[in-house]
Amino acid sequence: MKIKYDIKTLLTSLVLLLFLWVAFFITQLIYKAPEHKNEYFIPETATFAIKLDSRKLVNKTLYTLLFEGRDEQIIEKIKEIISTPGEQRKSLGINFLSDAILFSNPYKNGKLVIVSVNLSNSTNFKNNIPELLNPKQVVEVIDNVGFILTYISPNDQENIKKEDISTFFAKNILPLSNNTNSRFKKVKEDGSFFQSYSKGNLFGVTTCFNSSNFQFNLIDNGIGINGELGISANKNSNVLVANQILFPKNGYFHFSSGVIPKSIQDSLSSYALKAGIDLPKLKSFSLNYGGMNIQMNNEGMSVLPDLDLLLEFKSAFSISNLLKQDTLLSKIAGKFDNNTLTIGEKKYFVNQLNSKTISISVSDSPAIVSNKKNELFAIKGNISSLLKIEGGGMIVSLLEMVPTFKASKELFSNLEDVNITVRKTNSKNAELNGAIIFKKDHFVMNEMMKFILEMQFVLM
């Protein structure tokens, strides 16, 4: 018995030593200074760019998997992917532990979307990457940095010769000796792993923000977000500060916005007209959402949200006049009496706060406060409420079987808090600040890895 015990102890020690050696080797590999040359190749004419620091993500992920989380579910998922048959992949020659860059540049009637990566073997990249791409994409290499160029036209029917794209590349993507400036701001945070910037009207003349510069940082068991935005001076930009907003409700998902793109305005007006409602343009809205309740009755199924909703319009709108219309009430199988809308067993209290502002709420007196901080946009509170569904029987059971729903629900349920705001600082600028924090013993990279691995099977 003692011999067996000694052998078991020896084997355990050897496995532990092997594990520590592998961890040390991987750590040394990660901490080896990677090349970050590709961020210097973005031309001044680029309108959008993002940068992902793969080394910091891999470093944090490995540390979490090896020392913090030790999540068996992730290990099993990785084993499952490794054991899944698939065609043998050739070496792509990409240095996966350095920055990955994506940027777009106007070109002809559309734009070129360009991915750039630092290379470990440029020959392998040029020879093997084209096999993974479509025939219209172009592959280029300069100064040991690889580029994949894709042309996107508004109608996806415009044909561009690959030679023309290569000519653009030669004229605009200059060698490293001609490039000394990065388009990204210098990173202020040690944990920064993702940056982005934009300029111009990316989404047409009604673009809400004409410039942006963001960065995402790894913080204690979460992700921090900060950045700056330039407010468009276009009269149709629809960037307005709400006079009042709902106070975030404990246990609910809170969403407020005075940023309402023209496309959304037009869609709302179109849907309202189909329902026989002449709806004015929205200035802002604020929402506390606690989930969905599905009620089955003799008349069919009613889908009833648990919410407080505050709407501010740009012109006068009477909610009581609307709800007194028998045609609308019959469509929603509701009754309206004494400022109370009843649908099935659910009651909503309706209030006209002023000629342009209304509230519809499950509470008879929702907490409405002045928007003293000039918030243009806010996401706060319990994001898992978005996927909370009560009742419905078979419908909910079927939803629980959908991998995307199941994976998202698990990820959201493990979040402790979400708090992201965009605040207007002056007529031309706004600032973004926020954080996404996970619950105790639910590590950020663990949860993200589980979600990504689950989605891996959905997309395979």
Side-chain angles (χ1 to χ4, degrees):
M1 291 295 291
K2 187 176 184 302
I3 295 174
K4 286 184 179 181
Y5 176 79
D6 290 340
I7 292 174
K8 185 177 179 181
T9 303
L10 177 63
L11 288 175
T12 302
S13 300
L14 288 173
V15 170
L16 180 60
L17 284 171
L18 179 63
F19 172 81
L20 291 174
W21 182 85
V22 171
F24 174 78
F25 176 78
I26 293 173
T27 303
Q28 292 301 304
L29 178 65
I30 290 171
Y31 274 104
K32 183 180 178 181
E35 293 187 289
H36 300 296
K37 299 184 296 185
N38 51 343
E39 69 178 271
Y40 295 104
F41 291 90
I42 304 171
E44 290 185 8
T45 51
T47 55
F48 174 76
I50 60 175
K51 178 175 74 169
L52 179 69
D53 189 331
S54 304
R55 182 178 68 94
K56 285 182 181 176
L57 278 183
V58 171
N59 181 28
K60 179 64 176 177
T61 300
L62 281 175
Y63 182 81
T64 299
L65 292 180
L66 294 175
F67 302 108
E68 291 182 330
R70 299 186 295 275
D71 195 309
E72 289 296 327
Q73 187 177 349
I74 295 178
I75 303 302
E76 290 302 317
K77 285 289 182 185
I78 292 174
K79 286 181 181 177
E80 200 172 340
I81 289 176
I82 292 173
S83 63
T84 301
E87 64 177 84
Q88 190 172 0
R89 297 293 184 187
K90 297 179 181 178
S91 173
L92 301 179
I94 297 174
N95 181 354
F96 288 104
L97 292 179
S98 68
D99 290 345
I101 305 285
L102 180 147
F103 63 94
S104 67
N105 198 96
Y107 183 67
K108 296 187 181 292
N109 296 320
K111 60 185 176 183
L112 281 170
V113 176
I114 303 170
V115 174
S116 69
V117 290
N118 293 292
L119 302 180
S120 57
N121 189 309
S122 58
T123 301
N124 285 347
F125 181 80
K126 286 188 287 187
N127 292 339
N128 299 333
I129 278 289
E131 296 180 15
L132 305 177
L133 308 177
N134 69 54
K136 294 182 180 180
Q137 291 177 291
V138 173
V139 174
E140 299 282 356
V141 172
I142 186 171
D143 287 336
N144 208 37
V145 173
F147 299 84
I148 301 170
L149 296 87
T150 307
Y151 178 69
I152 299 176
S153 63
N155 53 18
D156 292 328
Q157 294 180 351
E158 185 179 5
N159 290 320
I160 298 293
K161 294 180 180 178
K162 294 178 70 171
E163 292 79 7
D164 291 342
I165 297 177
S166 294
T167 299
F168 168 88
F169 179 85
K171 289 182 178 179
N172 295 274
I173 312 297
L174 303 176
L176 192 61
S177 57
N178 295 57
N179 297 287
T180 56
N181 295 320
S182 171
R183 307 299 168 202
F184 299 100
K185 285 192 173 183
K186 188 175 180 180
V187 173
K188 298 178 182 178
E189 308 288 342
D190 290 338
S192 176
F193 68 91
F194 181 90
Q195 285 181 274
S196 74
Y197 89 87
S198 69
K199 65 179 183 180
N201 297 325
L202 287 178
F203 303 103
V205 295
T206 61
T207 296
C208 297
F209 299 104
N210 56 21
S211 66
S212 68
N213 205 308
F214 300 151
Q215 72 177 37
F216 289 66
N217 314 305
L218 292 169
I219 58 177
D220 289 343
N221 211 31
I223 297 172
I225 307 167
N226 61 73
E228 302 166 349
L229 300 102
I231 299 173
S232 175
N234 189 292
K235 65 179 182 179
N236 294 317
S237 62
N238 294 308
V239 180
L240 302 168
V241 175
N243 293 320
Q244 295 176 300
I245 55 176
L246 289 166
F247 188 80
K249 200 172 185 177
N250 188 34
Y252 281 58
F253 170 71
H254 175 84
F255 181 44
S256 292
S257 181
V259 182
I260 305 176
K262 186 176 183 299
S263 57
I264 293 180
Q265 291 274 23
D266 293 342
S267 297
L268 288 173
S269 298
S270 176
Y271 290 132
L273 284 173
K274 289 178 181 178
I277 303 170
D278 185 13
L279 192 70
K281 298 291 185 183
L282 266 178
K283 177 183 176 182
S284 66
F285 71 92
S286 188
L287 169 74
N288 285 329
Y289 182 82
M292 188 74 70
N293 182 264
I294 299 177
Q295 294 183 4
M296 311 296 293
N297 50 50
N298 295 332
E299 298 178 357
M301 180 179 69
S302 296
V303 181
L304 304 171
D306 178 9
L307 57 74
D308 299 332
L309 179 63
L310 180 67
L311 301 174
E312 184 179 0
F313 298 94
K314 292 184 178 181
S315 56
F317 178 72
S318 172
I319 184 65
S320 59
N321 288 344
L322 173 66
L323 292 176
K324 287 175 182 177
Q325 298 177 16
D326 292 335
T327 52
L328 176 63
L329 290 173
S330 63
K331 287 180 181 179
I332 62 175
K335 298 177 181 179
F336 182 65
D337 181 57
N338 196 25
N339 291 330
T340 302
L341 174 65
T342 304
I343 305 175
E345 299 177 3
K346 198 82 170 179
K347 287 186 177 182
Y348 297 96
F349 298 92
V350 180
N351 289 298
Q352 185 87 39
L353 303 180
N354 57 48
S355 62
K356 299 180 182 179
T357 309
I358 65 170
S359 74
I360 303 173
S361 173
V362 292
S363 306
D364 56 357
S365 56
I368 300 171
V369 296
S370 177
N371 188 9
K372 294 181 180 179
K373 294 183 179 179
N374 288 333
E375 290 184 358
L376 288 171
F377 180 91
I379 295 177
K380 301 177 182 180
N382 182 16
I383 199 169
S384 64
S385 295
L386 289 173
L387 300 180
K388 181 181 177 182
I389 303 175
E390 296 179 345
M394 183 64 71
I395 296 173
V396 177
S397 298
L398 291 173
L399 269 177
E400 294 285 354
M401 296 171 63
V402 177
T404 50
F405 181 87
K406 183 180 177 181
S408 300
K409 186 175 181 180
E410 182 177 358
L411 176 67
F412 290 174
S413 67
N414 291 331
L415 287 171
E416 177 70 30
D417 187 44
V418 175
N419 192 331
I420 301 170
T421 60
V422 175
R423 186 176 65 87
K424 187 175 182 179
T425 53
N426 56 54
S427 61
K428 295 182 179 180
N429 299 289
E431 64 179 18
L432 167 71
N433 284 290
I436 301 171
I437 307 297
F438 282 83
K439 293 178 180 178
K440 185 180 179 181
D441 298 328
H442 290 274
F443 302 97
V444 55
M445 297 313 300
N446 253 28
E447 299 305 324
M448 295 305 296
M449 278 290 293
K450 280 194 287 188
F451 181 75
I452 291 169
L453 291 170
E454 190 69 42
M455 296 303 294
Q456 164 82 7
F457 290 98
V458 176
L459 300 173
M460 283 177 64

